[in-house]
Structures are given as C-alpha cells and as structure tokens.
Amino acid sequence: MKPGSKNRRRKADLAKLNLPSDVEMIERLRAFVLRSGLTLVDVGTMAGVHPSNIGRFLSGIYGSDTIEIRAAVKELIDTHESVEQNRLGRKHYRTGAFDEIQAAAWSALRNGTAYIVDGPPGTEKTESFRRVEHKINTSGEGRAVYVYARVGHTPKPFLSEVCAAAGIPNTGHIDPLIRKLRFFLGHGRILLIVDEAQHLGNEGLEVLRQLLDLPPYFGVMLGGSHDLTQRLQHWQMEQWRSRVRKTIFLTGPTKAEARSILRAELGDLDDDLCDATIADCKAVAERVEMVRGKPVRQQFTYTSIRDLFGAIEVAQQTLTPNLTLVPPARPAEKESAA
Ligand SMILES: Nc1ncnc2c1ncn2[C@@H]1O[C@H](COP(=O)(O)OP(=O)(O)O)[C@@H](O)[C@H]1O
Ligand SMILES: [Mg+2]
C-alpha cells in the first residue's frame, strides 16, 4: 500500500458521511460547550482531538482541511444528544397534571404570560417541564429554556446557567448577562422555565424581576414547592405579577391515573392491590394559598408519583417468572385456607 493511501481512504469515507459544514459544526459545538459546561480541554480529550485544535477550529483558524475534526466533534455531540433522547425515550404516562402544564406552557410561549406551578416533590413538575421544553424546541414555533435553580444559587451563577441553557456566551457580570439574554432571546417566542424556583433567594428573585419586568416579554413558568407562591406574592414584582395568568397547584396523580400506571407496569392487578400500593405512596405537604392578599396555609395529602415508580420497581423485582404479582394473602383467605 502506498504511504498516505490509508489516510486518503479514511477521508474519502468521511466525505461520504455528509458532515455538517464548518459554520454549522462550529455553531453546534459552541452551543454544546455552553450547555454541557465542558472546557475545551474536556471536549478535546473526549473527542480524541488536541484541545488547541478545538480552540483553533472554534475560532475559524483551523485551516481548510476540517473533515476529521468535524467528524470527531460531531460524533461526541451526537453521543451525548442520544443520551438525552434516551431519557425522553422512557415511557411517559399522559396525566391531567401534564396536560395542564403543557397547555400553560404553550399559552405562556405564545402570549408572553407567566404561570406558577406549585407542587410538592413527586408531582411531575420536572418530568413535565423537560417534555414540554423538548416539544417546543422541536416544534419550530419558539424556544424553551429550562433552568434548575439550585439551593443557594446566587444571581450570577443563576444567570450564567440561563445563558448556557439558551446557548448564549455566559461570562460576564449580572447586568451584561441580563442584557445579553434580552438581546439574544428578544427575537422570537421564548419560554423560560425555572424549576425549583423557591431556591432563588431574594437576590435571585430580584435578578428574575430585572429579567422579566421589561420588554421583550418572555413567557415564564416558575415551578417549585413550599412557599413559592407566597414568596412571589410578597416580592416586589408588580409588573411581573400582572402577567401571571394562573397558579397550577399539583397534588400528584389521581387514583385512576395511578391505577392505570400500576396496571401498565405490573399487569392486571385488582383494585384492592392497586389501592393498597397507592396508599403506601401517600405523602403530606403544605401549601400556601393567597386569599384576598393574605397567606392561608393548608395541609393536604397527595400521591407521590416518585414513590409510585419506586413501588413499581420493588414489585418488578419480586415478580415471578411468568410475570404475575403474588399478592399478600388477605386475612379472610388465610382463615379459609386454614
Ligand atoms: N407522567 C409520567 N410518566 C412517567 N414517569 C413520570 C411521569 N411523571 C413523573 N415521572 C417520573 O417520576 C419521578 C418524579 O417526577 P418528577 O417530575 O421528578 O417530580 P417533581 O419534579 O415534581 O419532584 C421521576 O423519576 C419522573 O421521571
Ligand atoms: Mg423536580
């Protein structure tokens, strides 16, 4: 074989792959770096490319022969995007809570309005937000940007994360970050979803106010638990509050929904066995409703969908090989058997 012929053959193979152009690939790589939080060294290591070449490629000074680096970078990004697809590829049960969140998200996107989703842990908030985000982002009708507020998230890292999630350069101080978000997101329909928004301290809420108070008006969904509704009510967000259309209070799946999930996962269980399992997944939470401007605390019981899937997992491990659940014998049956 002539020297260099292997290399030529590899390049000919790569040429057949119809790889994205330099401009497209650079755009995808920039968005990927921001979204993933990886450094260029990380990207280089993972893609098997020298990090300085990643930097040169991103700056457009790599040279004309970019086919190999485009192939390596594309493979890295595709692999990670397929992990995301797998997450969304898991079975999703259509519930009333999901339908309500989905309808609210589209309305917020189309009208620049806001919704609060207030529900204790295990009431489908995150799952619904991520699915709706994906639907909007693949619809061509607008952009949804999902951010998770961490405990003690101070304004700057929070805004950096919003920028990263939106694929916008995320360095700089608070004011330039807000300006950048307004500028880059101001052109189309945008829905900003902030999950666990109760974690934003007063400074975080103030930053949110700065972001939302002035045009361009983004659609907004704030999800969270505990005293989210009350805190937002008390916070100085008059402008913003006038755009809040509704607070959606979540109380977990209904009994009918929980029964149908159990049956879909575990086979044809009778009502009693379903209901006993559902009863084990009950949790108590408190919510604050504003009644004529005054906070009213209310305790309520709900079914945690997280616990329900936990119970399903345990039951699946105890399934007999022919896939029927062995129910615990009821006292009456024990007596008659005796
Ligand atoms: N409709 C659904 N179909 C299937 N799995 C769901 C559904 N809703 C929630 N889950 C799963 O239940 C768990 C808890 O839901 P999650 O959305 O994280 O609750 P929350 O954010 O309200 O605490 C997650 O593992 C999630 O994937
Ligand atoms: Mg959640």
Side-chain angles (χ1 to χ4, degrees), residues 332-338:
E333 288 167 355
K334 274 191 206 149
E335 269 160 34
S336 63

Side-chain angles (χ1 to χ4, degrees), residues 87-88 90-92 98 124-132 195:
R87 198 177 59 76
L88 289 164
R90 284 201 324 244
K91 185 155 187 185
H92 179 247
F98 174 75
E124 300 183 54
K125 296 181 297 297
T126 305
E127 177 79 26
S128 306
F129 290 155
R130 304 290 338 217
R131 286 191 182 268
V132 166
D195 199 358

Side-chain angles (χ1 to χ4, degrees), residues 123-283:
T123 48
E124 300 183 54
K125 296 181 297 297
T126 305
E127 177 79 26
S128 306
F129 290 155
R130 304 290 338 217
R131 286 191 182 268
V132 166
E133 177 201 22
H134 181 73
K135 273 201 177 173
I136 291 175
N137 287 337
T138 48
S139 70
E141 218 191 290
R143 273 297 283 286
V145 177
Y146 170 94
V147 221
Y148 180 93
R150 289 194 304 271
V151 183
H153 223 157
T154 52
K156 201 162 110 39
F158 171 70
L159 280 175
S160 288
E161 210 143 307
V162 180
C163 286
I168 296 169
N170 64 345
T171 50
H173 292 291
I174 292 175
D175 289 336
L177 286 173
I178 291 178
R179 257 206 315 279
K180 264 193 269 190
L181 278 166
R182 286 230 182 86
F183 179 79
F184 283 103
L185 299 182
H187 303 301
R189 285 181 167 159
I190 298 289
L191 173 67
L192 177 64
I193 305 172
V194 183
D195 199 358
E196 302 291 353
Q198 81 279 359
H199 287 159
L200 293 173
N202 285 350
E203 286 180 323
L205 284 179
E206 172 57 24
V207 151
L208 206 56
R209 189 189 65 72
Q210 286 179 42
L211 190 62
L212 304 179
D213 253 8
L214 294 173
Y217 292 129
F218 311 141
V220 186
M221 280 201 118
L222 297 187
S225 51
H226 311 305
D227 55 355
L228 177 66
T229 312
Q230 188 189 6
R231 289 200 50 215
L232 290 171
Q233 190 71 23
H234 279 262
W235 192 247
Q236 332 290 324
M237 297 173 87
E238 288 84 8
Q239 281 276 80
W240 182 80
R241 267 207 303 275
S242 67
R243 286 161 52 211
V244 178
R245 287 290 160 272
K246 192 177 175 191
T247 295
I248 299 170
F249 286 110
L250 299 179
T251 52
T254 61
K255 188 190 259 192
E257 287 168 349
R259 278 181 178 177
S260 85
I261 292 174
L262 282 168
R263 290 189 173 123
E265 293 284 335
L266 298 173
D268 200 12
L269 310 183
D270 67 27
D271 285 353
D272 287 352
L273 192 49
C274 282
D275 294 351
T277 311
I278 295 167
D280 282 344
C281 303
K282 290 280 179 201

